[in-house]
Amino acid sequence: MKRAICFVLSILLLISITGCLSKANVIKLSEGIEQEAPKRVKIDEPFIAAQQDFAMNLYRAEADRHSENFCLSPYSISVALSLAANGAEGETKAEFEDVLTGRIAIQDWNRYMYSYSKKQDSSLKSANSVWFDNGFKIKDDYLHRVVNSYGTDIFLANFHSSETVDSINNWVKESTNGKIENILEELHPNSQMYLANATVFSAKWTTTHKESDVKDEIFSSRSGKKSTVKMMYSKEKTYLKDDDAVGVIKELAGDCSFVALMPDENIDIKDYIKQLTAEKLRNILAKKESVNVNTGVPYFSTETDTQLKDSLTDIGIKSAFLEEKADFTGIADKKLFINNAQHKTRIYVDAYGIKAAASTGVEIITMGITPAPEKEVILNRPFIYFIMDSYNVPLFMGVVTEL
């Protein structure tokens, strides 16, 4: 693999001399390079906790910057930052390991991330790319790490051409099945490199909703406005509760689930988010109760376009954004720093996704046991939601305050 990448890099001088890049604008260097897979490791508690901690710390920081509905994918963000972390050294690397990896060394984190990506079912798809400017001398060890551990596409491009922005946007659009467009408006005049992740999630409810299961109901928004929404009703099996909120887990096909928490009526949802740490979320999930839950989930869709620099700085990734302190000498022997980290997310929730379905329900009961009393969670006021995998790692998350 290293020989292959060294060969790819050796052609860069020829490209710059012949000028053929000016004609092609973008050249995919990773085409035909066989990935040398790292050794897989067990997905264990330190890795899961690191993912949860990063997700919840970023979630609380972002919540302060959005007055209404917002959503984000901590998984997509963590992958993109992992690409950057692989080129960090010194204080910058230490901050990535403190905030992103839970103090797991980057080389070990790469093995975790590779192993984790291979455990995901078909509902989650992710792609990565590294784009760098013609003439920028990138280290082959860095490319070796990001190609092997993250399956990254490598592109050489003319960063002074507007066509490169179009190429990056087209890559993101194609990698998200057209759901995310125009992640990038322009490149900074001094831009040398662009890292991109694209993540797509799609899954069907395990419950098939009949037309009679969907009813018009009133949703009471945080602003005080009341609106009529489509509410899909079902009977779920997992109830969540803490001192200030109730919640429910609604199962999705595959290894993932929709987790919702709705604060009590006298508690503002922003106040609740402020104290919702990863540890508290873990405790809520650990105390889940198996009981019939009469559940109502509204149809909703949310789109968010946010710059992450301030939130990432707030939670401790600071030097990476500072010209005088950033250390990315693992990428190139050149002074580099992160100019911006952009994130766009779209989420749609409804009762469909199944064009045709057949279901047979067989309920087996045993005599002599008193059934537990049913619970009820109707999400008819502001609530928090997560799409979690079987490890309880948040893949997507958000808050609904207005409908």
Side-chain angles (χ1 to χ4, degrees):
M1 174 65 183
K2 283 190 176 181
R3 284 186 213 162
I5 290 180
C6 287
F7 171 75
V8 168
L9 294 177
S10 70
I11 70 171
L12 299 186
L13 179 60
L14 178 62
I15 290 173
S16 61
I17 291 174
T18 62
C20 65
L21 182 61
S22 61
K23 298 176 183 178
N25 189 57
V26 174
I27 296 177
K28 187 175 183 179
L29 301 180
S30 51
E31 194 74 63
I33 297 177
E34 185 178 352
Q35 185 178 359
E36 185 180 305
K39 181 180 177 181
R40 294 196 194 186
V41 296
K42 180 182 178 181
I43 302 302
D44 57 16
E45 192 56 40
F47 173 76
I48 295 169
Q51 289 278 7
Q52 293 169 335
D53 289 342
F54 172 74
M56 295 311 299
N57 288 338
L58 184 61
Y59 188 50
R60 295 198 311 277
E62 274 293 297
D64 285 340
R65 294 178 166 85
H66 299 272
S67 60
E68 296 185 354
N69 301 357
F70 80 93
C71 57
L72 54 85
S73 171
Y75 176 70
S76 174
I77 296 165
S78 71
V79 175
L81 291 179
S82 294
L83 298 180
N86 267 275
E89 299 291 349
E91 181 184 355
T92 305
K93 181 179 180 179
E95 289 178 356
F96 277 117
E97 290 181 338
D98 281 345
V99 176
L100 177 64
T101 75
R103 300 190 177 178
I104 297 172
I106 293 296
Q107 60 268 28
D108 295 328
W109 181 257
N110 290 341
R111 287 189 283 271
Y112 274 119
M113 292 292 279
Y114 175 80
S115 303
Y116 180 75
S117 70
K118 296 305 178 184
K119 284 184 172 291
Q120 296 300 324
D121 62 25
S122 60
S123 60
L124 182 72
K125 296 180 181 179
S126 187
N128 303 300
S129 60
V130 168
W131 306 68
F132 63 99
D133 191 24
N134 183 30
F136 179 62
K137 293 178 170 43
I138 194 167
K139 292 184 177 180
D140 61 344
D141 281 347
Y142 172 77
L143 293 181
H144 175 76
R145 290 192 296 273
V146 298
V147 169
N148 282 345
S149 297
Y150 299 91
T152 306
D153 291 335
I154 308 296
F155 295 96
L156 175 69
N158 177 5
F159 274 32
H160 298 288
S161 168
S162 61
E163 292 180 13
T164 297
V165 172
D166 294 337
S167 296
I168 294 172
N169 285 332
N170 286 336
W171 181 90
V172 171
K173 183 177 180 178
E174 291 174 8
S175 299
T176 60
N177 300 328
K179 292 181 173 63
I180 300 294
E181 299 183 13
N182 301 325
I183 187 68
L184 185 63
E185 292 185 3
E186 62 181 0
L187 288 165
H188 190 278
N190 295 331
S191 180
Q192 299 290 301
M193 190 175 183
Y194 193 84
L195 315 176
N197 168 269
T199 297
V200 179
F201 179 87
S202 178
K204 301 171 183 177
W205 302 115
T206 55
T207 302
T208 301
H209 296 91
K210 298 176 292 188
E211 186 176 344
S212 59
D213 294 329
V214 181
K215 302 176 181 179
D216 289 342
E217 299 289 357
I218 298 299
F219 185 90
S220 300
S221 297
R222 181 172 181 251
S223 63
K225 181 186 72 174
K226 294 186 183 295
S227 55
T228 301
V229 300
K230 296 290 185 185
M231 187 79 69
M232 52 184 160
Y233 286 92
S234 61
K235 197 178 291 285
E236 304 301 331
K237 300 294 184 183
T238 309
Y239 181 69
L240 304 174
K241 182 174 174 57
D242 72 357
D243 292 339
D244 302 312
V246 296
V248 67
I249 297 178
K250 186 172 173 63
E251 297 297 335
L252 292 160
D255 294 332
C256 296
S257 56
F258 176 86
V259 179
L261 293 172
M262 184 172 63
D264 296 341
E265 288 191 67
N266 62 334
I267 296 176
D268 184 78
I269 194 163
K270 290 304 180 77
D271 293 334
Y272 184 78
I273 291 173
K274 285 178 182 178
Q275 49 82 47
L276 185 60
T277 63
E279 184 62 30
K280 181 167 183 176
L281 182 60
R282 284 191 284 267
N283 289 335
I284 293 172
L285 295 171
K287 295 176 181 178
K288 62 186 179 183
E289 184 179 347
S290 296
V291 63
N292 286 336
V293 187
N294 293 320
T295 304
V297 177
Y299 286 20
F300 68 91
S301 63
T302 302
E303 299 183 26
T304 298
D305 186 352
T306 185
Q307 294 187 14
L308 296 170
K309 179 179 178 180
D310 290 341
S311 291
L312 290 172
T313 300
D314 287 348
I315 65 176
I317 298 179
K318 299 179 179 180
S319 65
F321 293 97
L322 299 175
E323 183 177 3
E324 66 276 13
K325 287 190 174 183
D327 185 349
F328 287 103
T329 51
I331 294 176
D333 293 324
K334 195 170 185 178
K335 192 67 179 173
L336 303 169
F337 68 100
I338 298 175
N339 179 53
N340 185 31
Q342 192 79 17
H343 185 62
K344 295 181 77 170
T345 317
R346 301 172 71 178
I347 288 182
Y348 304 87
V349 176
D350 62 22
Y352 302 100
I354 302 175
K355 299 296 183 184
S359 179
T360 301
V362 178
E363 184 178 20
I364 302 175
I365 66 171
T366 181
M367 300 298 292
I369 298 178
T370 303
E374 292 187 343
K375 305 290 187 179
E376 183 174 89
V377 178
I378 308 299
L379 303 177
N380 56 7
R381 60 178 186 271
F383 62 93
I384 300 160
Y385 63 90
F386 307 86
I387 297 173
M388 290 188 175
D389 66 8
S390 58
Y391 299 105
N392 288 332
V393 170
L395 304 176
F396 289 81
M397 59 208 309
V399 60
V400 174
T401 64
E402 306 284 330
L403 285 179

